[in-house]
């Protein structure tokens, strides 16, 4: 006959969630993992049915009935919290009248690992639960890696979209962005004003001081336009020294005249680049979306161009409204 101590050692190795009970259902030995589930309760000496509630088979309510359940699967839970669900198998010991009851978590293993901080050391080395834990861990790691990759891809996509709509020299919107804004406002039937601004004498700055000075002037002009407009307005560089400002919801001509006046005044002030004065001015033409019965982007852009050309013909460094032109056709 196997020495009882050898039997217990064998069971601890192969079945770390075993219970050794006597013929009266009193727990004689408990596997280390099972004891870990109830660290404050000494399982040895407790009655099996005092610790566990049998869920199935429902007909088993006594120890003799339990002992007769050889090879039948048991479904049980702890009486106290947390009421972890367990599965069991009874193996009677022929000479002692007792039995070995081997327990497992079944599909509750993930909850158990979380609730009791179990590790691979708490299971038999051949237990398929270990494989499941590794698969879950691998899946979690893969999902986390996937989420991280998706976030990076989204960030890269947003950065690429932002770059596609941005003028790299000035940081303003570009023509593509302006076209997108105009299409959106027109489709939404929003009222707006479109201001076309051209820097006068910019070519002479480039010719006299070089392209670095010209780039500096464009950057300073962009800064001034941003400072004189609102956050929900769109300032775009649409050509070498040409800019378009779209004023959302603003169609008051007196207000637009005042904004254009401030822009002209500030852009007329000489800019210093490496101790050299860079002198430009600004000619501006403005058209209103409300001047058109059927509005198209090309039409309002053309109207603002006509007003701009009139400002240049009138001596530059001034602002003209399309509505004041004698050949205006709203």
């Amino acid at each position: 006959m196997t020495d009882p101590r050898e039997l217990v050692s064998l069971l601890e190795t192969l079945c770390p969630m075993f219970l050794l009970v006597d013929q009266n259902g009193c727990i004689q030995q408990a596997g280390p993992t099972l004891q870990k589930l109830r660290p404050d309760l000494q399982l040895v000496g407790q009655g099996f049915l005092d610790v566990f509630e049998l869920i199935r088979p429902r007909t088993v309510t006594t120890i003799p009935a339990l002992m007769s359940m050889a090879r039948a699967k048991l479904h049980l839970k702890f009486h106290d919290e947390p009421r972890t669900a367990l599965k069991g198998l009874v193996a009677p010991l022929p000479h002692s009248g007792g039995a070995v009851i081997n327990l497992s978590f079944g599909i509750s293993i993930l909850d158990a690992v979380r609730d009791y901080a179990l590790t691979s050391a708490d299971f038999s080395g051949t237990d398929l639960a270990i494989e499941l834990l590794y698969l879950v861990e691998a899946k979690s790691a893969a999902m986390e890696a996937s989420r991280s990759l998706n976030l990076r891809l989204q960030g890269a996509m947003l950065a690429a979209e932002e770059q596609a709509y941005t003028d790299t020299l000035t940081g303003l919107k570009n023509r593509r962005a302006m076209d997108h804004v105009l299409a959106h406002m027109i489709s939404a039937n929003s009222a707006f004003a479109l201001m076309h601004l051209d820097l006068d004498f910019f070519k002479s700055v480039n010719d006299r001081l070089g392209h670095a000075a010209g780039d500096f002037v464009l950057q300073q002009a962009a800064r001034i336009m941003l400072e004189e407009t609102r956050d929900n307005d769109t300032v775009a560089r649409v050509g070498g020294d040409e800019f378009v400002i779209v004023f959302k919801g603003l169609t008051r001509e007196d207000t637009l005249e005042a904004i254009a006046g401030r822009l002209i005044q500030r852009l007329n002030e000489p800019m210093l680049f490496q101790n050299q004065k860079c002198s430009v001015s600004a000619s501006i033409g403005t058209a209103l979306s409300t001047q058109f019965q059927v509005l198209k982007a090309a039409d309002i852009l053309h109207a603002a161009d006509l007003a701009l050309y009139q400002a240049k013909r009138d001596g530059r460094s001034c602002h003209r409204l399309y509505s004041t032109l004698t050949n205006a056709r709203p």
Side-chain angles (χ1 to χ4, degrees):
M1 176 182 287
T2 303
D3 184 285
R5 288 174 298 181
E6 293 180 355
L7 175 61
V8 170
S9 178
L10 183 64
L11 291 172
E12 288 178 345
T13 301
L14 298 178
C15 314
M17 289 183 63
F18 80 94
L19 286 170
L20 187 61
V21 299
D22 63 16
Q23 59 186 354
N24 298 316
C26 181
I27 299 173
Q28 303 297 302
Q29 294 289 340
T33 299
L34 198 57
Q35 183 62 67
K36 187 174 181 178
L37 305 187
R38 289 296 183 272
D40 298 327
L41 174 65
Q42 181 59 46
L43 293 176
V44 174
Q46 299 288 329
F48 179 81
L49 294 178
D50 294 330
V51 177
F52 299 97
E53 175 189 357
L54 278 170
I55 307 301
R56 291 198 305 271
R58 298 185 182 277
T59 55
V60 177
T61 58
T62 64
I63 292 301
L66 177 66
M67 294 302 184
S68 67
M69 293 297 299
R71 300 185 181 86
K73 290 183 180 179
L74 306 177
H75 295 261
L76 56 156
K77 289 185 177 182
F78 282 102
H79 276 298
D80 60 340
E81 298 291 340
R83 302 197 67 205
T84 307
L86 299 165
K87 289 185 177 181
L89 191 65
V90 179
L93 296 174
H95 299 292
S96 67
V100 174
I101 304 175
N102 190 30
L103 300 177
S104 69
F105 294 112
I107 62 174
S108 300
I109 184 170
L110 297 181
D111 293 335
V113 169
R114 178 198 63 210
D115 294 341
Y116 303 109
L118 301 178
T119 68
S120 59
D122 296 309
F123 299 89
S124 168
T126 58
D127 195 330
L128 290 178
I130 300 303
E131 302 296 329
L132 176 61
L133 290 175
Y134 287 148
L135 286 173
V136 170
E137 183 176 352
K139 179 181 178 182
S140 298
M143 291 181 66
E144 181 59 33
S146 177
R147 282 193 293 268
S148 178
L149 177 61
N150 284 336
L151 288 174
R152 291 200 300 273
L153 288 175
Q154 289 174 7
M157 183 174 65
L158 290 174
E161 288 180 354
E162 182 65 23
Q163 187 175 9
Y165 285 105
T166 301
D167 175 61
T168 54
L169 176 63
T170 62
L172 300 178
K173 301 301 182 184
N174 58 18
R175 179 176 288 275
R176 182 180 179 186
M178 180 204 69
D179 290 340
H180 178 77
V181 169
L182 286 180
H184 175 73
M185 287 191 173
I186 292 172
S187 65
N189 199 28
S190 300
F192 63 92
L194 188 146
M195 184 177 285
H196 191 174
L197 184 151
D198 183 77
L199 295 180
D200 306 315
F201 313 112
F202 176 75
K203 185 176 182 299
S204 66
V205 173
N206 265 340
D207 294 342
R208 185 169 60 89
L209 299 175
H211 289 290
D215 290 348
F216 172 76
V217 169
L218 292 174
Q219 291 167 344
Q220 295 306 303
R223 176 182 58 80
I224 289 170
M225 282 181 264
L226 288 174
E227 290 175 355
E228 294 296 338
T229 54
R230 304 165 301 178
D231 291 340
N232 62 339
D233 297 328
T234 299
V235 184
R237 182 187 175 207
V238 296
D241 60 350
E242 293 183 55
F243 301 84
V244 166
I245 305 174
V246 181
F247 295 91
K248 182 178 181 181
L250 176 56
T251 56
R252 286 179 57 94
E253 293 187 355
D254 57 344
T255 302
L256 292 164
E257 288 276 17
I259 296 171
R262 291 196 299 270
L263 287 171
I264 291 169
Q265 180 182 1
R266 294 187 64 182
L267 289 169
N268 277 354
E269 296 174 2
M271 305 174 190
L272 283 178
F273 176 74
Q274 296 180 352
N275 296 322
Q276 297 288 324
K277 285 186 178 181
C278 303
S279 297
V280 295
S281 63
S283 297
I284 304 174
T286 300
L288 308 179
S289 66
T290 52
Q291 293 174 292
F292 299 85
Q293 292 182 348
V294 179
L295 180 61
K296 297 180 181 179
D299 291 341
I300 192 169
L301 283 167
H302 179 63
D305 284 346
L306 291 176
L308 171 62
Y309 296 148
Q310 186 62 49
K312 286 185 174 293
R313 284 194 293 268
D314 289 346
R316 303 183 182 184
S317 190
C318 61
H319 172 236
R320 294 293 179 263
L321 287 160
Y322 176 68
S323 61
T324 65
L325 303 185
T326 56
N327 62 340
R329 294 290 185 270

